[in-house]
């Protein structure tokens, strides 16, 4: 049996014997770029039905078809963890979304703070980056990338029971770690390059569901902070243990 070298995300349902039609860009990638042919295996996932081994049934320049043969992985849901971050420069925002998807975020929420540099995002482009990250890392779930939301509004509509890990750059050097918790629903908040305003910091610290942590003795860039914070959370409360 040939080993599948390509892994793709699709929207269609997956199941034994299911035929999956390919869009033009997918067909170009499989048959034009990867030089695949009829009978070659491809791994597919859709975020709902796990991962499936499929065979190429029809290969064309503008389209094609795959047929599902067997499930290779069940659906593996990540912890109920949101990553909230203030968008920064394009490439570094892309990096944050990609790493959040790889490291097990269930939802990614760009937030607008008082010092956020970017006032708009391309939600569709960031969602595509989350899909690509899931394809590459072997995940069977793709986190939703939400629309840019003002931090004030997000906190005002905060869901009951969800805890917030607040990474405060003002706590650099302080030994403030995440304590053990039985809560299952969490969010991590990473601030903008300019940091949180005094008003925002005071409001966040006063929230009953907020847990203030330090990310070490040095001030981290926003993209580095996102990876560091998710690592800390996953090791303390997530599915890495």
């Amino acid at each position: 049996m040939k080993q599948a070298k390509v892994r793709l995300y699709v929207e269609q349902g997956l199941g034994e014997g299911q035929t999956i039609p390919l869009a033009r860009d997918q067909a170009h990638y499989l048959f034009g770029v990867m030089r695949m042919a009829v009978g070659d295996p491809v791994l597919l996932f859709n975020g709902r039905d796990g991962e499936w081994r499929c065979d190429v049934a029809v290969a064309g320049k503008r389209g094609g078809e795959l047929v599902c043969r067997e499930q290779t992985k069940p659906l593996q849901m990540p912890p109920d963890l949101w990553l909230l971050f203030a968008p920064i420069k394009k490439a570094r925002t892309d990096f944050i979304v990609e790493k959040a998807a790889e490291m097990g975020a269930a939802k990614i929420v760009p937030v607008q703070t008082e010092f956020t540099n970017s006032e708009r995002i391309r939600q569709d482009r960031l969602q595509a980056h989350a899909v690509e990250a899931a394809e590459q890392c072997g995940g069977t779930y793709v986190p939703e990338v939400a629309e840019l939301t003002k931090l004030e509004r997000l906190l005002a509509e905060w869901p009951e029971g969800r805890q917030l890990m607040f990474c405060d750059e003002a706590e650099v050097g302080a030994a403030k770690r995440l304590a053990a918790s039985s809560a299952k629903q969490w969010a991590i908040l990473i601030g903008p390059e300019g940091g949180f305003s005094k008003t925002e910091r005071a409001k966040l610290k006063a929230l009953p569901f907020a847990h203030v942590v330090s990310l070490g003795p040095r001030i981290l860039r926003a993209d580095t902070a996102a990876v560091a914070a998710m690592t800390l959370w996953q090791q303390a409360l997530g599915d890495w243990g």
Side-chain angles (χ1 to χ4, degrees), residues 12-70:
Q12 298 94 329
L14 301 174
E16 187 175 355
Q18 183 75 31
T19 298
I20 308 298
L22 296 172
R24 184 169 182 170
D25 58 338
Q26 293 172 324
H28 171 72
Y29 175 67
L30 292 181
F31 312 132
V33 178
M34 300 303 295
R35 304 295 182 186
M36 299 185 72
V38 171
D40 286 343
V42 182
L43 296 176
L44 299 184
F45 70 105
N46 60 9
R48 306 183 303 276
D49 301 318
E51 177 189 84
W52 284 77
R53 178 187 171 94
C54 305
D55 294 336
V56 176
V58 178
K61 293 182 178 179
R62 299 184 179 183
E65 289 184 356
L66 306 178
V67 177
C68 295
R69 299 304 184 193
E70 61 178 349

Side-chain angles (χ1 to χ4, degrees), residues 123-211:
Q123 184 184 10
D124 58 341
R125 185 176 60 82
L126 294 180
Q127 187 67 65
H129 279 295
V131 168
E132 291 171 4
E135 289 176 339
Q136 293 297 318
C137 75
T140 56
Y141 176 85
V142 178
E144 171 197 356
V145 180
E147 295 181 353
L148 182 65
T149 305
K150 288 186 177 181
L151 179 60
E152 183 179 2
R153 175 183 174 185
L154 189 66
L155 294 176
E157 300 174 353
W158 195 257
E160 183 178 355
R162 186 171 296 276
Q163 303 298 298
L164 177 65
M165 175 176 160
F166 168 38
C167 304
D168 186 3
E169 75 282 354
E171 300 294 335
V172 166
K176 289 194 174 182
R177 300 192 178 110
L178 191 62
S181 172
S182 60
K184 300 298 183 182
Q185 298 177 317
W186 278 83
I188 295 171
L189 175 60
I190 303 295
E193 291 179 315
F196 293 102
S197 70
K198 290 182 179 180
T199 301
E200 288 171 335
R201 185 174 291 110
K203 184 172 183 177
L204 285 162
K205 286 186 174 183
L207 295 173
F209 51 82
H211 305 257

Side-chain angles (χ1 to χ4, degrees), residues 86-146:
I88 45 180
K89 293 179 180 178
K90 179 180 176 182
R92 289 166 61 191
T93 292
D94 295 346
F95 176 88
I96 291 174
V97 170
E98 290 166 2
K99 298 311 167 189
E102 289 178 22
M103 297 180 73
K107 187 175 182 178
I108 302 168
V109 186
V111 296
Q112 186 173 0
T113 68
E114 289 188 33
F115 297 151
T116 298
N117 292 333
S118 178
E119 295 184 356
R120 62 183 64 183
I121 62 166
R122 280 281 306 278
Q123 184 184 10
D124 58 341
R125 185 176 60 82
L126 294 180
Q127 187 67 65
H129 279 295
V131 168
E132 291 171 4
E135 289 176 339
Q136 293 297 318
C137 75
T140 56
Y141 176 85
V142 178
E144 171 197 356
V145 180

